[in-house]
Amino acid sequence: MDFHNIFVLIFLAGTFFSLILEMFLERIDFSFRSKHGREIPEILNGQVDVETLNKTCLYEDAKYKLWIPSFLLETVLSLYLVFSGFYPALFGWVWSWTDNSFFAAFLFLLLGGIPGAILSLPFALYSEFGIEKQFGFSNMTFGMWLGDEIKGFIINMVIMAPLLLIMTALFKYASDWWWILLGCVYFVFSLGLSVIYPLFIAPLFNKFTPLEDGELKTRLEELLKKCGFKASGLFVMDASRRSGHSNAYFTGFGKSKRVVLYDTLIEQLTTDEIESVLGHELGHYKHHHILKKLFFMVPASFILLFGASFLIKLPLLYTGFGFLNVDEVPYQMMFIGVFLLSLVFGDWATIFTPLANYFSRKDEFQADAFAKKICGTGEHLCTALIKLNRENLSEIQVPKIYSVFNYNHPPLLERIAALK
């Protein structure tokens, strides 16, 4: 480890910047919750009680107390793996097994993720079977949890493998233009995944059944028709098998588009409230929010890949972290360069979070306004948001700086104030 290396210094600065910022934000939220978490805002009188707020504070405190050791140990592990020379040793061991750059990259990423997975395991188990069960959310059995983890791992490998194969092939056969070709592949792959996910991946975890005929289905279909939204159907997801948390969302692309309602959502809200929630989601569609984000993300991805195409060719990037001291980086090592760049600059992404959250919250306000307009009133969306907040034990009031960094949706009170 070369502590005079610019990339090493950026990595260390980013790690400690993230550590201090995250600890500061969570501590600020904890202190604010301790002082104001049990106060009932005047606007919510009669809709939220002290007992619920007390339970919410206990739930958030429990998650916070679990997050502290988890986050600190993850940071320590990250530093240890870098300082100990684990990654160069792993690369050397993998390369001794195969001289194929694709298999070397696949094995490196697979084995390199094992320490982090082992560390996170007890925290994940306690979160699911300790905290979530204690507060009445988790309905998971250990067998179900293990099955989900295995399926998730296999799906990630299936998705990662072809992208990794294409990337390593481009390093070899298109060394000067790999970044633009990989950007195009990633864009097409993402669109394809949005079509495949609702049809083949989501059903591996949950059962989706068509919404039964009745007033709710009629109202929602009329709303979809009114907004000109064509979907392959309205589906109910058996979310209650795993959790008591509730939600609704659009998924898919083109003919695979579908509206999904959690069964817990249907149990908790009235027909008017569910209609208003769907109206909010349709607001995102009518205002082209997903398309606008895509128009931003695609150029941003190409810019990042363009920058990476220069940096991964710098021997300085590799030597600082204990890899071979070479005058020219061979294509077989370029995947290591991409991995090192994610280490070096990964924690600095937090700087851009407030900006991303600002635009996301702006979209949410716009979608709320659309729901109010299309449904003729904002009252039903207000009561729906209050119920969802209450049933999910979400905080009602949070410090402004905390929401700026951690909330991509506006806090409850801000949404209600805007709707009223």
Side-chain angles (χ1 to χ4, degrees):
M1 177 65 64
D2 181 3
F3 290 100
H4 298 288
N5 183 285
I6 183 62
F7 292 107
V8 173
L9 293 175
I10 293 174
F11 163 72
L12 290 173
T15 299
F16 288 107
F17 166 75
S18 175
L19 174 66
I20 293 170
L21 178 63
E22 294 295 334
M23 293 293 289
F24 168 75
L25 291 173
E26 293 298 331
R27 182 64 191 181
I28 286 289
D29 185 46
F30 174 75
S31 299
F32 185 90
R33 184 167 59 247
S34 300
K35 295 177 181 178
H36 306 289
R38 292 165 178 82
E39 298 173 357
I40 301 177
E42 184 178 347
I43 199 171
L44 297 182
N45 276 335
Q47 301 187 74
V48 178
D49 54 44
V50 175
E51 183 181 354
T52 300
L53 292 182
N54 185 59
K55 189 176 181 181
T56 298
C57 289
L58 293 174
Y59 178 55
E60 293 294 332
D61 288 350
K63 292 193 294 182
Y64 171 61
K65 291 172 183 176
L66 180 65
W67 173 85
I68 293 173
S70 173
F71 181 64
L72 288 176
L73 287 174
E74 285 176 2
T75 302
V76 171
L77 177 64
S78 175
L79 292 171
Y80 173 77
L81 292 178
V82 171
F83 290 160
S84 66
F86 171 79
Y87 294 119
L90 177 62
F91 174 73
W93 184 81
V94 164
W95 203 252
S96 69
W97 275 60
T98 176
D99 57 359
N100 182 288
S101 56
F102 163 68
F103 287 116
F106 185 83
L107 287 174
F108 179 86
L109 294 178
L110 179 64
L111 299 176
I114 290 178
I118 293 174
L119 177 65
S120 65
L121 181 61
F123 296 103
L125 286 170
Y126 183 74
S127 174
E128 185 66 47
F129 297 103
I131 296 175
E132 294 297 310
K133 279 195 178 294
Q134 177 187 346
F135 288 91
F137 288 123
S138 177
N139 298 315
M140 296 274 275
T141 63
F142 179 75
M144 189 184 298
W145 180 87
L146 183 61
D148 284 353
E149 292 296 311
I150 293 173
K151 284 184 284 189
F153 173 77
I154 293 173
I155 290 169
N156 285 334
M157 292 300 102
V158 170
I159 292 174
M160 182 181 76
L163 284 175
L164 203 57
L165 176 61
I166 292 171
M167 183 178 73
T168 52
L170 290 175
F171 286 155
K172 182 176 182 180
Y173 297 108
S175 60
D176 293 329
W177 297 100
W178 68 266
W179 59 275
I180 194 167
L181 296 175
L182 183 61
C184 294
V185 168
Y186 181 75
F187 174 68
V188 173
F189 196 84
S190 298
L191 291 180
L193 195 60
S194 67
V195 174
I196 293 172
Y197 176 81
L199 300 178
F200 301 105
I201 297 178
L204 295 174
F205 298 90
N206 291 97
K207 184 179 180 181
F208 295 82
T209 55
L211 182 63
E212 294 180 356
D213 292 336
E215 181 188 4
L216 178 60
K217 183 176 181 180
T218 301
R219 292 269 296 274
L220 297 186
E221 285 180 338
E222 289 176 354
L223 184 63
L224 290 172
K225 186 177 180 180
K226 188 177 181 180
C227 295
F229 184 88
K230 295 181 180 180
S232 61
L234 295 163
F235 293 87
V236 179
M237 189 180 90
D238 62 340
S240 59
R241 285 186 63 235
R242 288 172 167 78
S243 173
H245 292 294
S246 51
N247 200 0
Y249 63 91
F250 287 141
T251 185
F253 182 78
K255 292 184 178 180
S256 71
K257 284 191 301 186
R258 55 173 60 183
V259 178
V260 177
L261 306 173
Y262 285 24
D263 55 358
T264 48
L265 184 85
I266 296 175
E267 292 173 6
Q268 294 168 3
L269 304 185
T270 66
T271 298
D272 287 333
E273 290 166 346
I274 295 173
E275 183 184 44
S276 70
V277 171
L278 180 58
H280 169 88
E281 297 300 331
L282 286 167
H284 289 304
Y285 163 73
K286 293 298 288 186
H287 288 290
H288 309 292
H289 290 158
I290 296 175
L291 195 60
K292 289 176 181 177
K293 288 180 180 178
L294 195 62
F295 280 139
F296 171 77
M297 291 303 298
V298 170
S301 298
F302 279 102
I303 291 172
L304 290 174
L305 287 170
F306 177 68
S309 68
F310 287 99
L311 295 178
I312 65 170
K313 293 181 179 180
L314 298 177
L316 194 66
L317 174 64
Y318 304 83
T319 56
F321 291 92
F323 286 87
L324 296 176
N325 190 358
V326 292
D327 294 327
E328 185 175 347
V329 180
Y331 76 86
Q332 295 94 332
M333 285 192 68
M334 286 184 178
F335 75 87
I336 292 293
V338 174
F339 170 75
L340 290 176
L341 288 178
S342 70
L343 280 181
V344 171
F345 296 105
D347 285 327
W348 289 105
T350 310
I351 294 175
F352 303 100
T353 303
L355 184 63
N357 286 344
Y358 168 78
F359 287 108
S360 178
R361 288 195 297 269
K362 186 178 179 181
D363 288 348
E364 296 301 323
F365 280 128
Q366 197 171 35
D368 282 351
F370 179 86
K372 179 179 179 178
K373 179 181 177 181
I374 201 71
C375 295
T377 176
E379 288 302 317
H380 299 313
L381 183 55
C382 284
T383 56
L385 292 172
I386 293 168
K387 284 184 180 179
L388 291 174
N389 199 91
R390 185 176 64 217
E391 295 297 328
N392 288 298
L393 296 182
S394 300
E395 290 183 281
I396 291 176
Q397 302 182 79
V398 294
K400 184 66 176 179
I401 189 172
Y402 185 82
S403 69
V404 165
F405 276 92
N406 290 281
Y407 278 42
N408 57 15
H409 282 54
L412 176 64
L413 297 183
E414 291 183 22
R415 294 183 74 174
I416 293 176
L419 282 166
K420 287 185 177 295

